[in-house]
Amino acid sequence: MRAGPVLALAACALFVAAAEAADPPPGRSVPSMGNDHIASPGAPHPPYNSDPPTSGPHVRWVAKWGAHTAPIPLEVQVHNLEDGGVVIQYNCSSAPCPELIAKLEALLRHPDLLAMPQAMIEHGAEKFLRLIVAPYPTMKAKIALTAWGRIETLEHYDQARILQFIKAYIGIDHHPASE
């Protein structure tokens, strides 16, 4: 290869790295704990390296996409993340927060998200947005957004940040190549 193309590739790589440093991806990166399957929620496994988890041991089934009124077992929600989902969880244990829940659940109908083909998943004849909104009364943050290997925590509803996180990670499948 001649020096010209090599220099052009190197300059391009530096430009991409500089752009990412100036505008980092949303959320915080969490090292992957892999994709091991376990028999059931609560089955023994190493502790997750984030709360809520962003990867690691999980069951073979997923939670129903959409709004939930009860917490989702961690070992179930991790599989939703592996399938390209984003999970939004909230902690209203100190005081009821119906307005926050309504705003979060409204994201399930947000036109920008529904217009993203990769954000949708088919089960039978139905299509679902790869998004879950559920309570998590024991977490420290008010709101937590998780995707495979990424987490963002918020103390207040911030639609712009939440949409940025969802749009960046929804629909990215994380199954091992051998599956």
Side-chain angles (χ1 to χ4, degrees), residues 26 86 88 99-114 131 143 145 152-168:
V86 172
I88 303 173
E99 289 178 12
L100 171 63
I101 296 168
K103 288 177 182 177
L104 294 173
E105 288 180 353
L107 294 167
L108 295 164
R109 299 175 302 280
H110 196 282
D112 289 358
L113 301 177
L114 295 172
L131 186 63
I143 303 167
L145 314 169
E152 174 98 18
T153 57
L154 305 167
E155 289 307 315
H156 303 284
Y157 182 81
D158 182 336
Q159 184 169 323
R161 281 179 68 185
I162 292 170
L163 286 172
Q164 180 186 28
F165 186 94
I166 295 169
K167 289 176 181 180

Side-chain angles (χ1 to χ4, degrees), residues 51-77:
D51 186 35
T54 60
S55 67
H58 59 275
V59 295
R60 295 186 179 273
W61 64 89
V62 296
K64 184 178 178 185
W65 302 103
H68 292 255
T69 57
I72 299 170
L74 302 179
E75 297 87 355
V76 176
Q77 61 182 265

Side-chain angles (χ1 to χ4, degrees), residues 68-152:
H68 292 255
T69 57
I72 299 170
L74 302 179
E75 297 87 355
V76 176
Q77 61 182 265
V78 170
H79 197 158
N80 287 80
L81 301 179
E82 184 185 43
D83 281 3
V86 172
V87 178
I88 303 173
Q89 295 177 93
Y90 55 87
N91 180 352
C92 296
S93 61
S94 62
C97 55
E99 289 178 12
L100 171 63
I101 296 168
K103 288 177 182 177
L104 294 173
E105 288 180 353
L107 294 167
L108 295 164
R109 299 175 302 280
H110 196 282
D112 289 358
L113 301 177
L114 295 172
M116 298 174 65
Q118 74 273 22
M120 305 305 289
I121 189 166
E122 290 186 32
H123 286 290
E126 292 188 75
K127 282 188 172 184
F128 298 93
L129 183 63
R130 296 176 200 244
L131 186 63
I132 288 178
V133 176
Y136 188 169
T138 60
M139 73 177 176
K140 293 176 184 167
K142 187 73 167 179
I143 303 167
L145 314 169
T146 53
W148 191 264
R150 305 296 294 191
I151 189 168
E152 174 98 18

